[in-house]
Amino acid sequence: MSDTLLPLLKKLLSLSGLSAYEAPVREVIAEAWQPLVDELSVSRLGSLHGLRRGQGAEPRRRILLAAHMDAIGMMTTQVVDGLLRFTEIGGIDPRILPGQPVIVHGRRELPGYVVQPADRLLPKALRGKPVPMSHLLVDVGLPADEVAELVRPGDLISFAQPPIELGETVLAGHSQDNRASVTAVTACLQELQHMRHAWDVWAVATAQEEETLGGGFTSPFEIRPDLCVAIDVTFARGPGVSSDQRAFPLGKGVTLGWGPNIHPALFEAFQTLAKQQDIPFHLEVMPRHSGTDAYATQIVAEGIPSIVIGIPLRYMHTPVELVSLKDIRRAGHLLAEFIATLQPDFMNEITWDKANE
Amino acid sequence: MKSLIQKLVESIGPSGYEGATREIVRAEIAGLGDEQHIDALGNLIVRKGHKAANGLRIMLSAHMDEIGIIATHIDENGFVRFTTIGGVRPHTCFGGRVQFVNGVRGVIGGERLESQDKVHTFEQMYIDVGASSRADCPVKVGDMAGFERPFLDLGNRLVAKSMDDRISVAVLIEALRQFPANSPHEVYFVFSTQEEVGLRGATTAAYAIDPDLGISVDVTATGDMPKGPKMEVGLGKGAAIKVRDGGMLSDPRLVRFLVNTAEQHNIPYQLEILEGGTTDARVIQITRAGVPAGCISIPCRYIHSPSEMVDYGDVQNVVRLLTATLSGPITLE
């Protein structure tokens, strides 16, 4: 990983930017992409669009790289005696919440902790088990009247754990889903600085993926690309995951999605290239919803051939998401190499029929 | 406004069969809009005002349809088996009455239960329309019905079977009547269809209108009943400005603008976080290249039961907040 990528990812993992409230992280991504693209803009939903023009003759084909920048987190629902009740933004496993440090984004930012009542004080039916979110609270340690002034329903609560390097190649932190992929797109843009490519490249950090795939629907509508690649994290093998479940070794390569959400000829093109380039990858079976922006991009407007590149991650949707930097670099490299191979007539080569031959 | 509400809530209009409700709306808004039409999904769309340099094209949406049932089988003795349209729950059904779109009325009965502690499942219930054979049953397979329950005026509190979302239909009609002459906006009042079965009317209306801003008006749940849900919203505490619901996050810039507008005009308001359910704003938000969207809600107890209760003061405050919002430029920051 180049010198700038690790600090960028660590910075991205230190920011909030929950779904629909992506501004803090968008600003940092814009700063990183500014020298790598020709134009930057922000969509009406808040997705960041970076255009890097190709060297082909106009009109040029367009490829859209979608990596969502929004993060899961929590939202205050009630302020009760100085403590905060909350609900989730995106999906959160409440078992991992008690004891987590958080930031409450009230009239000013307040550090706090997720806390739970003592087991004996819970309703009988709940004792001896993980406490459901409805009974968890956030304590910011201030007097009740002060909390009532500073916090109101709707205020965001984000995770506050700093990213931590584990060994040489693994980075732990909240929001690796999907800032790891934003970093991979950045790596791709960096590589493209030294490569020729005929197509226009639209790097998009999408908004609201965790809630509605909002950016995945709206950005391709605005940009009208010929191809879409969604880059997102996927399940790495970890505790309790048997090898026959769809999970992939951490740090041993990216995944290429395969299933109805994926254009088979586009898959074929990526697979062939990855083999040629010795980029390790696994086939990831996606029988239904790919769980990524590609599920939206495929059916935008008249339809867009789409594919998913996955970066394996352990402990999905927790504040200790583990990702290997090697896989991030591989994803960026594969994207850049693919873009460089795209000829002006590539769209004539990919048909559903051809993939079935 | 109460007589308008009564007319709207007592009309029968399950999803896809909103005709009777649409006729009432059409008569009420005659002459109020600059232009109106009914689109391919049955949405009634009324345009009002012109977009000035500092104005926006705004879509307001309130759905006309209500939850209901559809006949699936008529047995040889004339009993009608049915399934649900939208989020009907079985414990609100037994002993209730329905009215079919064709005017036929009936009561909901159920098979004998093994235990009186149990609730009838939908499969165990049927509608008795007073027929004695399949031949003389006036209901055919595929006929749809709404629940029947007269409007109840408790003074400050109003109760009906379809406050969701006819109360908001009434609010939009009232907002159209009070449309500010100085509004810089081109506003589309959408009386939408098929919300209860997947926000379908608003999906196509938003695509057609291509608005700069979208606001749905709908009911939201409350937490102010005995052992009710843990929820901050309550009846009589003002217009509810939605921050999030089960299907979307409101555009934070719009939330800020609505809060500021309510504060400037001294309109009582409350912030709403609803943990289940969603509104037309969800599909407006992801239309085309994206639309800043949110929702102003009317707090409502006992949603999706035959006795949905709202506060009349809240209703009026939602009209005031909408009117204030339309009266000047809208800045999203």
Side-chain angles (χ1 to χ4, degrees), chain A residues 19-21 44-45 76 78 87-88 134 153-154 208 211-212 218 221, chain B residues 211 230-232 243-244 247 249 252-253 271 273 275 285-286 288-290:
Chain A
S19 303
Y21 299 79
R44 294 208 289 190
L45 238 63
T76 310
Q78 281 188 309
T87 184
E88 62 195 332
S134 56
Q208 299 191 33
E211 285 280 329
T212 56
T218 55
F221 190 93
Chain B
K230 291 174 178 173
M231 187 170 173
E232 190 68 23
V243 183
R244 82 152 303 161
L249 290 145
R253 299 164 296 182
L271 292 165
I273 297 109
E275 295 190 53
Q285 186 177 49
I286 56 173
R288 291 180 177 253

PDB file of all heavy atoms in Angstrom, chain A residues 19-21 44-45 76 78 87-88 134 153-154 208 211-212 218 221, chain B residues 211 230-232 243-244 247 249 252-253 271 273 275 285-286 288-290:
ATOM      1  N   SER A  19     -25.231   7.289   7.494  1.00  0.00           N
ATOM      2  CA  SER A  19     -26.115   7.394   6.332  1.00  0.00           C
ATOM      3  C   SER A  19     -26.948   8.685   6.405  1.00  0.00           C
ATOM      4  O   SER A  19     -27.520   8.999   7.450  1.00  0.00           O
ATOM      5  CB  SER A  19     -27.072   6.207   6.282  1.00  0.00           C
ATOM      6  OG  SER A  19     -26.351   5.007   6.262  1.00  0.00           O
ATOM      7  N   ALA A  20     -27.001   9.394   5.285  1.00  0.00           N
ATOM      8  CA  ALA A  20     -27.710  10.674   5.123  1.00  0.00           C
ATOM      9  C   ALA A  20     -26.963  11.845   5.772  1.00  0.00           C
ATOM     10  O   ALA A  20     -27.361  12.999   5.617  1.00  0.00           O
ATOM     11  CB  ALA A  20     -29.150  10.628   5.641  1.00  0.00           C
ATOM     12  N   TYR A  21     -25.928  11.538   6.521  1.00  0.00           N
ATOM     13  CA  TYR A  21     -25.150  12.587   7.193  1.00  0.00           C
ATOM     14  C   TYR A  21     -23.674  12.378   6.855  1.00  0.00           C
ATOM     15  O   TYR A  21     -22.816  12.340   7.735  1.00  0.00           O
ATOM     16  CB  TYR A  21     -25.369  12.522   8.698  1.00  0.00           C
ATOM     17  CG  TYR A  21     -26.803  12.742   9.130  1.00  0.00           C
ATOM     18  CD1 TYR A  21     -27.747  11.732   9.047  1.00  0.00           C
ATOM     19  CD2 TYR A  21     -27.220  13.986   9.610  1.00  0.00           C
ATOM     20  CE1 TYR A  21     -29.069  11.932   9.427  1.00  0.00           C
ATOM     21  CE2 TYR A  21     -28.535  14.194  10.005  1.00  0.00           C
ATOM     22  CZ  TYR A  21     -29.447  13.167   9.911  1.00  0.00           C
ATOM     23  OH  TYR A  21     -30.752  13.386  10.304  1.00  0.00           O
ATOM     24  N   ARG A  44     -27.473  15.400  -5.461  1.00  0.00           N
ATOM     25  CA  ARG A  44     -28.524  15.971  -4.610  1.00  0.00           C
ATOM     26  C   ARG A  44     -28.748  15.137  -3.355  1.00  0.00           C
ATOM     27  O   ARG A  44     -29.299  15.615  -2.375  1.00  0.00           O
ATOM     28  CB  ARG A  44     -29.824  16.097  -5.396  1.00  0.00           C
ATOM     29  CG  ARG A  44     -29.713  17.103  -6.532  1.00  0.00           C
ATOM     30  CD  ARG A  44     -31.050  17.716  -6.857  1.00  0.00           C
ATOM     31  NE  ARG A  44     -31.929  16.775  -7.511  1.00  0.00           N
ATOM     32  CZ  ARG A  44     -33.086  17.124  -8.063  1.00  0.00           C
ATOM     33  NH1 ARG A  44     -33.483  18.389  -8.032  1.00  0.00           N
ATOM     34  NH2 ARG A  44     -33.838  16.215  -8.645  1.00  0.00           N
ATOM     35  N   LEU A  45     -28.310  13.878  -3.392  1.00  0.00           N
ATOM     36  CA  LEU A  45     -28.431  13.050  -2.187  1.00  0.00           C
ATOM     37  C   LEU A  45     -27.168  13.078  -1.339  1.00  0.00           C
ATOM     38  O   LEU A  45     -27.118  12.515  -0.258  1.00  0.00           O
ATOM     39  CB  LEU A  45     -28.734  11.604  -2.581  1.00  0.00           C
ATOM     40  CG  LEU A  45     -30.019  11.038  -2.001  1.00  0.00           C
ATOM     41  CD1 LEU A  45     -31.213  11.806  -2.507  1.00  0.00           C
ATOM     42  CD2 LEU A  45     -30.161   9.566  -2.286  1.00  0.00           C
ATOM     43  N   THR A  76     -30.468   9.042  18.479  1.00  0.00           N
ATOM     44  CA  THR A  76     -31.192   9.250  19.729  1.00  0.00           C
ATOM     45  C   THR A  76     -32.694   9.257  19.463  1.00  0.00           C
ATOM     46  O   THR A  76     -33.161   9.930  18.543  1.00  0.00           O
ATOM     47  CB  THR A  76     -30.811  10.616  20.346  1.00  0.00           C
ATOM     48  OG1 THR A  76     -29.388  10.706  20.386  1.00  0.00           O
ATOM     49  CG2 THR A  76     -31.388  10.780  21.731  1.00  0.00           C
ATOM     50  N   GLN A  78     -34.955   9.227  22.470  1.00  0.00           N
ATOM     51  CA  GLN A  78     -35.548   9.867  23.645  1.00  0.00           C
ATOM     52  C   GLN A  78     -34.451  10.225  24.630  1.00  0.00           C
ATOM     53  O   GLN A  78     -33.442   9.516  24.713  1.00  0.00           O
ATOM     54  CB  GLN A  78     -36.507   8.907  24.370  1.00  0.00           C
ATOM     55  CG  GLN A  78     -37.866   8.769  23.720  1.00  0.00           C
ATOM     56  CD  GLN A  78     -38.813   7.956  24.601  1.00  0.00           C
ATOM     57  OE1 GLN A  78     -38.468   6.868  25.029  1.00  0.00           O
ATOM     58  NE2 GLN A  78     -39.992   8.491  24.870  1.00  0.00           N
ATOM     59  N   THR A  87     -32.005   4.226  18.552  1.00  0.00           N
ATOM     60  CA  THR A  87     -32.289   3.192  17.554  1.00  0.00           C
ATOM     61  C   THR A  87     -31.097   3.116  16.622  1.00  0.00           C
ATOM     62  O   THR A  87     -30.136   3.871  16.761  1.00  0.00           O
ATOM     63  CB  THR A  87     -33.590   3.489  16.804  1.00  0.00           C
ATOM     64  OG1 THR A  87     -33.871   2.407  15.901  1.00  0.00           O
ATOM     65  CG2 THR A  87     -33.475   4.762  15.965  1.00  0.00           C
ATOM     66  N   GLU A  88     -31.157   2.201  15.662  1.00  0.00           N
ATOM     67  CA  GLU A  88     -29.996   2.002  14.799  1.00  0.00           C
ATOM     68  C   GLU A  88     -30.165   2.726  13.464  1.00  0.00           C
ATOM     69  O   GLU A  88     -31.268   2.961  13.011  1.00  0.00           O
ATOM     70  CB  GLU A  88     -29.781   0.505  14.552  1.00  0.00           C
ATOM     71  CG  GLU A  88     -30.949  -0.153  13.837  1.00  0.00           C
ATOM     72  CD  GLU A  88     -30.933  -1.664  13.893  1.00  0.00           C
ATOM     73  OE1 GLU A  88     -29.859  -2.249  13.991  1.00  0.00           O
ATOM     74  OE2 GLU A  88     -32.028  -2.260  13.825  1.00  0.00           O
ATOM     75  N   SER A 134     -33.611  -1.997  22.738  1.00  0.00           N
ATOM     76  CA  SER A 134     -34.657  -1.212  23.390  1.00  0.00           C
ATOM     77  C   SER A 134     -34.342  -0.948  24.861  1.00  0.00           C
ATOM     78  O   SER A 134     -34.911  -0.044  25.466  1.00  0.00           O
ATOM     79  CB  SER A 134     -35.995  -1.934  23.272  1.00  0.00           C
ATOM     80  OG  SER A 134     -35.872  -3.234  23.817  1.00  0.00           O
ATOM     81  N   PRO A 153     -34.159  14.295  20.362  1.00  0.00           N
ATOM     82  CA  PRO A 153     -34.419  13.163  19.484  1.00  0.00           C
ATOM     83  C   PRO A 153     -33.920  13.454  18.071  1.00  0.00           C
ATOM     84  O   PRO A 153     -34.065  14.572  17.574  1.00  0.00           O
ATOM     85  CB  PRO A 153     -35.943  13.020  19.502  1.00  0.00           C
ATOM     86  CG  PRO A 153     -36.358  13.618  20.794  1.00  0.00           C
ATOM     87  CD  PRO A 153     -35.388  14.733  21.076  1.00  0.00           C
ATOM     88  N   GLY A 154     -33.324  12.463  17.452  1.00  0.00           N
ATOM     89  CA  GLY A 154     -32.806  12.639  16.093  1.00  0.00           C
ATOM     90  C   GLY A 154     -31.315  12.906  16.063  1.00  0.00           C
ATOM     91  O   GLY A 154     -30.702  12.817  15.007  1.00  0.00           O
ATOM     92  N   GLN A 208     -25.964   6.743   1.667  1.00  0.00           N
ATOM     93  CA  GLN A 208     -27.170   6.031   2.112  1.00  0.00           C
ATOM     94  C   GLN A 208     -27.289   4.584   1.637  1.00  0.00           C
ATOM     95  O   GLN A 208     -28.396   4.052   1.536  1.00  0.00           O
ATOM     96  CB  GLN A 208     -28.439   6.813   1.697  1.00  0.00           C
ATOM     97  CG  GLN A 208     -28.467   8.184   2.314  1.00  0.00           C
ATOM     98  CD  GLN A 208     -29.802   8.892   2.152  1.00  0.00           C
ATOM     99  OE1 GLN A 208     -30.846   8.257   2.143  1.00  0.00           O
ATOM    100  NE2 GLN A 208     -29.790  10.203   2.053  1.00  0.00           N
ATOM    101  N   GLU A 211     -29.111   2.178   4.093  1.00  0.00           N
ATOM    102  CA  GLU A 211     -30.540   2.330   4.341  1.00  0.00           C
ATOM    103  C   GLU A 211     -31.389   2.010   3.120  1.00  0.00           C
ATOM    104  O   GLU A 211     -32.305   1.220   3.178  1.00  0.00           O
ATOM    105  CB  GLU A 211     -30.827   3.768   4.804  1.00  0.00           C
ATOM    106  CG  GLU A 211     -30.400   4.006   6.244  1.00  0.00           C
ATOM    107  CD  GLU A 211     -31.432   3.477   7.237  1.00  0.00           C
ATOM    108  OE1 GLU A 211     -32.623   3.468   6.919  1.00  0.00           O
ATOM    109  OE2 GLU A 211     -31.017   3.072   8.346  1.00  0.00           O
ATOM    110  N   THR A 212     -31.089   2.658   1.992  1.00  0.00           N
ATOM    111  CA  THR A 212     -31.978   2.545   0.827  1.00  0.00           C
ATOM    112  C   THR A 212     -31.229   2.258  -0.465  1.00  0.00           C
ATOM    113  O   THR A 212     -31.852   2.236  -1.517  1.00  0.00           O
ATOM    114  CB  THR A 212     -32.743   3.863   0.620  1.00  0.00           C
ATOM    115  OG1 THR A 212     -31.789   4.931   0.484  1.00  0.00           O
ATOM    116  CG2 THR A 212     -33.646   4.178   1.784  1.00  0.00           C
ATOM    117  N   THR A 218     -29.408   6.733  -7.439  1.00  0.00           N
ATOM    118  CA  THR A 218     -29.511   8.090  -7.990  1.00  0.00           C
ATOM    119  C   THR A 218     -28.271   8.536  -8.758  1.00  0.00           C
ATOM    120  O   THR A 218     -28.404   9.222  -9.776  1.00  0.00           O
ATOM    121  CB  THR A 218     -29.811   9.094  -6.856  1.00  0.00           C
ATOM    122  OG1 THR A 218     -28.819   8.960  -5.831  1.00  0.00           O
ATOM    123  CG2 THR A 218     -31.177   8.819  -6.253  1.00  0.00           C
ATOM    124  N   PHE A 221     -28.194   7.260 -12.304  1.00  0.00           N
ATOM    125  CA  PHE A 221     -29.229   7.935 -13.103  1.00  0.00           C
ATOM    126  C   PHE A 221     -28.694   9.249 -13.636  1.00  0.00           C
ATOM    127  O   PHE A 221     -28.938   9.635 -14.777  1.00  0.00           O
ATOM    128  CB  PHE A 221     -30.485   8.172 -12.259  1.00  0.00           C
ATOM    129  CG  PHE A 221     -31.660   8.633 -13.093  1.00  0.00           C
ATOM    130  CD1 PHE A 221     -32.569   7.707 -13.593  1.00  0.00           C
ATOM    131  CD2 PHE A 221     -31.837   9.978 -13.402  1.00  0.00           C
ATOM    132  CE1 PHE A 221     -33.636   8.116 -14.381  1.00  0.00           C
ATOM    133  CE2 PHE A 221     -32.897  10.393 -14.194  1.00  0.00           C
ATOM    134  CZ  PHE A 221     -33.802   9.462 -14.685  1.00  0.00           C
TER     135      PHE A 221
ATOM    136  N   PRO B 211     -39.299  16.507  -9.102  1.00  0.00           N
ATOM    137  CA  PRO B 211     -39.263  17.699  -8.228  1.00  0.00           C
ATOM    138  C   PRO B 211     -37.853  18.039  -7.718  1.00  0.00           C
ATOM    139  O   PRO B 211     -36.960  17.189  -7.746  1.00  0.00           O
ATOM    140  CB  PRO B 211     -40.157  17.286  -7.060  1.00  0.00           C
ATOM    141  CG  PRO B 211     -40.009  15.804  -6.980  1.00  0.00           C
ATOM    142  CD  PRO B 211     -39.804  15.320  -8.401  1.00  0.00           C
ATOM    143  N   LYS B 230     -41.791   2.790  23.271  1.00  0.00           N
ATOM    144  CA  LYS B 230     -40.879   3.841  23.733  1.00  0.00           C
ATOM    145  C   LYS B 230     -40.687   4.807  22.587  1.00  0.00           C
ATOM    146  O   LYS B 230     -39.864   4.588  21.691  1.00  0.00           O
ATOM    147  CB  LYS B 230     -39.551   3.224  24.147  1.00  0.00           C
ATOM    148  CG  LYS B 230     -39.641   2.386  25.397  1.00  0.00           C
ATOM    149  CD  LYS B 230     -38.321   1.685  25.675  1.00  0.00           C
ATOM    150  CE  LYS B 230     -38.397   0.869  26.959  1.00  0.00           C
ATOM    151  NZ  LYS B 230     -37.197   0.052  27.172  1.00  0.00           N
ATOM    152  N   MET B 231     -41.458   5.882  22.575  1.00  0.00           N
ATOM    153  CA  MET B 231     -41.418   6.821  21.457  1.00  0.00           C
ATOM    154  C   MET B 231     -41.794   8.188  21.985  1.00  0.00           C
ATOM    155  O   MET B 231     -42.684   8.322  22.809  1.00  0.00           O
ATOM    156  CB  MET B 231     -42.396   6.341  20.379  1.00  0.00           C
ATOM    157  CG  MET B 231     -42.322   7.127  19.098  1.00  0.00           C
ATOM    158  SD  MET B 231     -43.278   6.342  17.782  1.00  0.00           S
ATOM    159  CE  MET B 231     -43.135   7.625  16.542  1.00  0.00           C
ATOM    160  N   GLU B 232     -41.094   9.192  21.489  1.00  0.00           N
ATOM    161  CA  GLU B 232     -41.231  10.533  22.034  1.00  0.00           C
ATOM    162  C   GLU B 232     -42.512  11.221  21.548  1.00  0.00           C
ATOM    163  O   GLU B 232     -43.079  12.058  22.245  1.00  0.00           O
ATOM    164  CB  GLU B 232     -39.997  11.355  21.634  1.00  0.00           C
ATOM    165  CG  GLU B 232     -39.857  12.697  22.294  1.00  0.00           C
ATOM    166  CD  GLU B 232     -39.580  12.616  23.800  1.00  0.00           C
ATOM    167  OE1 GLU B 232     -39.083  11.586  24.260  1.00  0.00           O
ATOM    168  OE2 GLU B 232     -39.885  13.611  24.488  1.00  0.00           O
ATOM    169  N   VAL B 243     -37.475  12.707  11.315  1.00  0.00           N
ATOM    170  CA  VAL B 243     -36.026  12.605  11.147  1.00  0.00           C
ATOM    171  C   VAL B 243     -35.691  11.289  10.454  1.00  0.00           C
ATOM    172  O   VAL B 243     -34.851  11.231   9.578  1.00  0.00           O
ATOM    173  CB  VAL B 243     -35.295  12.689  12.500  1.00  0.00           C
ATOM    174  CG1 VAL B 243     -33.783  12.663  12.305  1.00  0.00           C
ATOM    175  CG2 VAL B 243     -35.711  13.946  13.256  1.00  0.00           C
ATOM    176  N   ARG B 244     -36.364  10.236  10.871  1.00  0.00           N
ATOM    177  CA  ARG B 244     -36.195   8.954  10.188  1.00  0.00           C
ATOM    178  C   ARG B 244     -37.411   8.081  10.436  1.00  0.00           C
ATOM    179  O   ARG B 244     -38.174   8.306  11.372  1.00  0.00           O
ATOM    180  CB  ARG B 244     -34.948   8.238  10.663  1.00  0.00           C
ATOM    181  CG  ARG B 244     -35.109   7.456  11.966  1.00  0.00           C
ATOM    182  CD  ARG B 244     -34.152   6.289  12.008  1.00  0.00           C
ATOM    183  NE  ARG B 244     -34.378   5.453  10.848  1.00  0.00           N
ATOM    184  CZ  ARG B 244     -33.524   4.558  10.365  1.00  0.00           C
ATOM    185  NH1 ARG B 244     -32.377   4.388  10.947  1.00  0.00           N
ATOM    186  NH2 ARG B 244     -33.804   3.831   9.317  1.00  0.00           N
ATOM    187  N   GLY B 247     -38.051   3.198   6.790  1.00  0.00           N
ATOM    188  CA  GLY B 247     -37.679   3.069   5.388  1.00  0.00           C
ATOM    189  C   GLY B 247     -36.770   4.136   4.846  1.00  0.00           C
ATOM    190  O   GLY B 247     -36.311   4.041   3.701  1.00  0.00           O
ATOM    191  N   LEU B 249     -34.130   7.937   5.777  1.00  0.00           N
ATOM    192  CA  LEU B 249     -33.662   9.033   6.621  1.00  0.00           C
ATOM    193  C   LEU B 249     -34.043  10.304   5.889  1.00  0.00           C
ATOM    194  O   LEU B 249     -33.673  10.506   4.733  1.00  0.00           O
ATOM    195  CB  LEU B 249     -32.144   8.955   6.797  1.00  0.00           C
ATOM    196  CG  LEU B 249     -31.686   7.779   7.664  1.00  0.00           C
ATOM    197  CD1 LEU B 249     -30.371   7.223   7.182  1.00  0.00           C
ATOM    198  CD2 LEU B 249     -31.592   8.206   9.104  1.00  0.00           C
ATOM    199  N   PRO B 252     -31.379  15.770   6.012  1.00  0.00           N
ATOM    200  CA  PRO B 252     -31.143  16.572   7.228  1.00  0.00           C
ATOM    201  C   PRO B 252     -31.293  18.073   6.990  1.00  0.00           C
ATOM    202  O   PRO B 252     -31.674  18.813   7.895  1.00  0.00           O
ATOM    203  CB  PRO B 252     -29.702  16.233   7.621  1.00  0.00           C
ATOM    204  CG  PRO B 252     -29.227  15.172   6.718  1.00  0.00           C
ATOM    205  CD  PRO B 252     -30.241  14.916   5.650  1.00  0.00           C
ATOM    206  N   ARG B 253     -31.023  18.510   5.760  1.00  0.00           N
ATOM    207  CA  ARG B 253     -31.160  19.944   5.461  1.00  0.00           C
ATOM    208  C   ARG B 253     -32.627  20.354   5.493  1.00  0.00           C
ATOM    209  O   ARG B 253     -32.975  21.435   5.967  1.00  0.00           O
ATOM    210  CB  ARG B 253     -30.543  20.248   4.093  1.00  0.00           C
ATOM    211  CG  ARG B 253     -29.062  19.928   3.995  1.00  0.00           C
ATOM    212  CD  ARG B 253     -28.589  19.859   2.566  1.00  0.00           C
ATOM    213  NE  ARG B 253     -29.226  18.774   1.808  1.00  0.00           N
ATOM    214  CZ  ARG B 253     -28.954  18.479   0.552  1.00  0.00           C
ATOM    215  NH1 ARG B 253     -28.071  19.187  -0.125  1.00  0.00           N
ATOM    216  NH2 ARG B 253     -29.568  17.471  -0.054  1.00  0.00           N
ATOM    217  N   LEU B 271     -40.005  16.318  17.050  1.00  0.00           N
ATOM    218  CA  LEU B 271     -39.144  15.554  16.147  1.00  0.00           C
ATOM    219  C   LEU B 271     -39.552  14.083  16.217  1.00  0.00           C
ATOM    220  O   LEU B 271     -39.774  13.546  17.302  1.00  0.00           O
ATOM    221  CB  LEU B 271     -37.680  15.732  16.544  1.00  0.00           C
ATOM    222  CG  LEU B 271     -37.154  17.143  16.298  1.00  0.00           C
ATOM    223  CD1 LEU B 271     -35.847  17.366  17.035  1.00  0.00           C
ATOM    224  CD2 LEU B 271     -36.979  17.421  14.807  1.00  0.00           C
ATOM    225  N   ILE B 273     -38.916  10.056  15.327  1.00  0.00           N
ATOM    226  CA  ILE B 273     -38.131   8.898  14.900  1.00  0.00           C
ATOM    227  C   ILE B 273     -39.066   7.703  15.010  1.00  0.00           C
ATOM    228  O   ILE B 273     -39.422   7.271  16.106  1.00  0.00           O
ATOM    229  CB  ILE B 273     -36.875   8.680  15.775  1.00  0.00           C
ATOM    230  CG1 ILE B 273     -35.955   9.882  15.636  1.00  0.00           C
ATOM    231  CG2 ILE B 273     -36.130   7.431  15.350  1.00  0.00           C
ATOM    232  CD1 ILE B 273     -35.905  10.737  16.858  1.00  0.00           C
ATOM    233  N   GLU B 275     -39.737   3.757  14.257  1.00  0.00           N
ATOM    234  CA  GLU B 275     -38.859   2.608  14.053  1.00  0.00           C
ATOM    235  C   GLU B 275     -39.419   1.552  13.106  1.00  0.00           C
ATOM    236  O   GLU B 275     -38.735   0.606  12.751  1.00  0.00           O
ATOM    237  CB  GLU B 275     -38.456   2.014  15.404  1.00  0.00           C
ATOM    238  CG  GLU B 275     -37.610   3.011  16.192  1.00  0.00           C
ATOM    239  CD  GLU B 275     -36.968   2.432  17.424  1.00  0.00           C
ATOM    240  OE1 GLU B 275     -36.285   1.405  17.316  1.00  0.00           O
ATOM    241  OE2 GLU B 275     -37.154   3.018  18.517  1.00  0.00           O
ATOM    242  N   GLN B 285     -37.367  10.318  -2.535  1.00  0.00           N
ATOM    243  CA  GLN B 285     -35.950  10.581  -2.278  1.00  0.00           C
ATOM    244  C   GLN B 285     -35.034   9.925  -3.309  1.00  0.00           C
ATOM    245  O   GLN B 285     -34.024  10.505  -3.703  1.00  0.00           O
ATOM    246  CB  GLN B 285     -35.593  10.078  -0.875  1.00  0.00           C
ATOM    247  CG  GLN B 285     -34.186  10.428  -0.429  1.00  0.00           C
ATOM    248  CD  GLN B 285     -33.920   9.966   1.000  1.00  0.00           C
ATOM    249  OE1 GLN B 285     -34.188   8.833   1.362  1.00  0.00           O
ATOM    250  NE2 GLN B 285     -33.407  10.872   1.817  1.00  0.00           N
ATOM    251  N   ILE B 286     -35.374   8.719  -3.751  1.00  0.00           N
ATOM    252  CA  ILE B 286     -34.464   8.015  -4.661  1.00  0.00           C
ATOM    253  C   ILE B 286     -34.979   8.024  -6.097  1.00  0.00           C
ATOM    254  O   ILE B 286     -34.554   7.222  -6.932  1.00  0.00           O
ATOM    255  CB  ILE B 286     -34.155   6.584  -4.184  1.00  0.00           C
ATOM    256  CG1 ILE B 286     -35.432   5.777  -3.998  1.00  0.00           C
ATOM    257  CG2 ILE B 286     -33.348   6.613  -2.910  1.00  0.00           C
ATOM    258  CD1 ILE B 286     -35.152   4.317  -3.685  1.00  0.00           C
ATOM    259  N   ARG B 288     -35.130   9.277  -9.859  1.00  0.00           N
ATOM    260  CA  ARG B 288     -34.197   9.860 -10.827  1.00  0.00           C
ATOM    261  C   ARG B 288     -32.818  10.081 -10.189  1.00  0.00           C
ATOM    262  O   ARG B 288     -32.244   9.180  -9.623  1.00  0.00           O
ATOM    263  CB  ARG B 288     -34.767  11.175 -11.369  1.00  0.00           C
ATOM    264  CG  ARG B 288     -35.988  10.937 -12.252  1.00  0.00           C
ATOM    265  CD  ARG B 288     -36.541  12.247 -12.773  1.00  0.00           C
ATOM    266  NE  ARG B 288     -37.666  12.049 -13.666  1.00  0.00           N
ATOM    267  CZ  ARG B 288     -37.599  12.214 -14.991  1.00  0.00           C
ATOM    268  NH1 ARG B 288     -36.470  12.584 -15.567  1.00  0.00           N
ATOM    269  NH2 ARG B 288     -38.663  12.021 -15.730  1.00  0.00           N
ATOM    270  N   ALA B 289     -32.297  11.311 -10.268  1.00  0.00           N
ATOM    271  CA  ALA B 289     -30.954  11.565  -9.734  1.00  0.00           C
ATOM    272  C   ALA B 289     -30.973  11.935  -8.252  1.00  0.00           C
ATOM    273  O   ALA B 289     -29.972  12.393  -7.701  1.00  0.00           O
ATOM    274  CB  ALA B 289     -30.269  12.651 -10.541  1.00  0.00           C
ATOM    275  N   GLY B 290     -32.122  11.713  -7.584  1.00  0.00           N
ATOM    276  CA  GLY B 290     -32.207  11.979  -6.154  1.00  0.00           C
ATOM    277  C   GLY B 290     -32.918  13.287  -5.859  1.00  0.00           C
ATOM    278  O   GLY B 290     -32.738  14.263  -6.573  1.00  0.00           O
TER     279      GLY B 290
END
